[in-house]
Amino acid sequence: MSVLEVTGVRKSFGDHVVLDGIDLSLDKHEVVVLIGASGSGKSTLLRTINLIEQVDDGQILLGGDDITDPLADPDAVRARIGVVFQHFNLFPHLRVIENITLAARRVHGIPKDAARARAMELLETLGLAAKAREYPDRLSGGQQQRVAIVRAIMTDPELLLLDEITSALDPQLVGEVLDLVRTLKVRGSTMLMATHEMSFAREVADRIVFMQGGRIVEQGAPRELLDHPQHPETIRFLERERRGGEVV
Ligand code: ADP
Ligand code: MG
């Protein structure tokens, strides 16, 4: 069974069609990278999966459950999905350890001691143990984003959604965050991620999906899609990216 199955998803804001019939599925342990120009609908797609946006039409199955069913409980669905956005939204008044354990305790009802033990184990594995008692503003942007990732994986979500998680970082901090994503892949996380880091996409993706105008234009293994794109729009987009022309 697929972890995620998106079928015929459509979403408009007013008369602006932002998702124009999206079909996409992810198998367990699969890492799928969304690429496409700014405005192509990547974030909106991720937001519909996390039920931040309601679809106008179509269906999304998570582990076989229809999460677009009006009767689905959004909190229960979100509890099964880990999300990291561009802007690490850690609570500034909570220490790292508290930021990481908060949702696990409140949403998942994990007892405090168990949540702390799990958090410390993750922080140790991921090289952040020394920061456990710091407040977020004492951390670099890269460290904050790594903490946000640890928070997202605390409860072993079925699916991780990562939206441009390195875009707000200084270039020298991007590497440590991408390293953590590599680690998650090795640990078997199922991930759907939007990124502009093409070389990273090539390395980490099992499949790359190119979106334009709210549609999936083309998808394939990194070598197929990046080295032998078939669709003129994909070719044009990749050429622009190679020239570094597009500033997002
Ligand atoms: P991407 O992540 O690929 O840059 P987005 O999904 O953020 O693209 O945006 C796709 C389009 O949808 C853009 O034109 C954006 O302006 C529009 N859009 C996104 N969210 C909203 C919203 N809440 N209201 C109106 N328009 C929106
Ligand atoms: Mg976006």
Side-chain angles (χ1 to χ4, degrees):
M1 187 198 294
S2 305
V3 170
L4 179 74
E5 190 127 14
V6 176
T7 316
V9 159
R10 303 180 64 83
K11 175 73 186 175
S12 299
F13 293 108
D15 55 12
H16 181 188
V17 179
V18 172
L19 297 178
D20 192 8
I22 298 287
D23 298 313
L24 180 68
S25 71
L26 262 78
D27 287 333
K28 199 165 186 190
H29 308 307
E30 205 179 7
V31 177
V32 173
V33 171
L34 300 173
I35 62 170
S38 184
S40 57
K42 305 179 298 293
S43 294
T44 305
L45 175 58
L46 296 173
R47 290 161 63 88
T48 60
I49 297 165
N50 197 32
L51 304 185
I52 299 169
E53 300 287 357
Q54 261 189 330
V55 302
D56 298 333
D57 198 8
Q59 196 183 46
I60 302 174
L61 303 184
L62 179 68
D65 301 326
D66 182 359
I67 62 172
T68 41
D69 185 317
L71 295 177
D73 172 5
D75 289 334
V77 170
R78 288 188 200 117
R80 298 166 60 184
I81 301 175
V83 184
V84 186
F85 295 114
Q86 179 172 348
H87 296 283
F88 22 83
N89 17 35
L90 299 176
F91 293 111
H93 60 291
L94 296 180
R95 298 174 196 275
V96 163
I97 185 78
E98 294 157 348
N99 262 286
I100 294 175
T101 53
L102 187 68
R105 292 171 55 198
R106 296 262 170 89
V107 181
H108 296 262
I110 299 175
K112 183 173 176 178
D113 288 348
R116 285 190 164 246
R118 162 87 176 146
M120 283 312 299
E121 182 194 318
L122 279 174
L123 288 171
E124 261 155 39
T125 314
L126 303 172
L128 285 162
K131 304 295 176 192
R133 299 201 50 77
E134 297 282 14
Y135 287 95
D137 68 357
R138 303 266 304 161
L139 273 52
S140 73
Q143 288 166 339
Q144 290 184 40
Q145 197 59 306
R146 284 156 64 204
V147 169
I149 295 171
V150 172
R151 179 175 58 178
I153 62 170
M154 257 294 279
T155 51
D156 282 327
E158 289 158 61
L159 175 66
L160 263 181
L161 304 175
L162 309 177
D163 194 2
E164 306 276 1
I165 60 170
T166 59
S167 295
L169 296 177
D170 293 337
Q172 75 273 19
L173 301 178
V174 168
E176 64 187 74
V177 174
L178 296 182
D179 269 345
L180 180 44
V181 178
R182 287 184 187 98
T183 305
L184 299 186
K185 180 181 163 91
V186 172
R187 290 164 61 105
S189 293
T190 307
M191 293 189 265
L192 179 58
M193 104 177 79
T195 186
H196 279 88
E197 303 280 344
M198 288 298 162
S199 59
F200 181 67
R202 176 189 292 274
E203 171 203 327
V204 84
D206 297 307
R207 181 154 44 102
I208 299 183
V209 171
F210 170 61
M211 286 180 69
Q212 178 156 303
R215 294 175 192 219
I216 293 176
V217 172
E218 188 172 346
Q219 58 180 307
R223 281 176 184 213
E224 282 168 38
L225 188 109
L226 298 178
D227 299 337
H228 306 285
Q230 299 298 310
H231 201 287
E233 288 171 354
T234 319
I235 294 168
R236 218 172 305 140
F237 171 78
L238 292 174
E239 272 171 8
R240 262 203 317 271
E241 285 290 316
R242 270 182 207 115
R243 287 200 307 267
E246 201 197 30
V247 181
V248 180

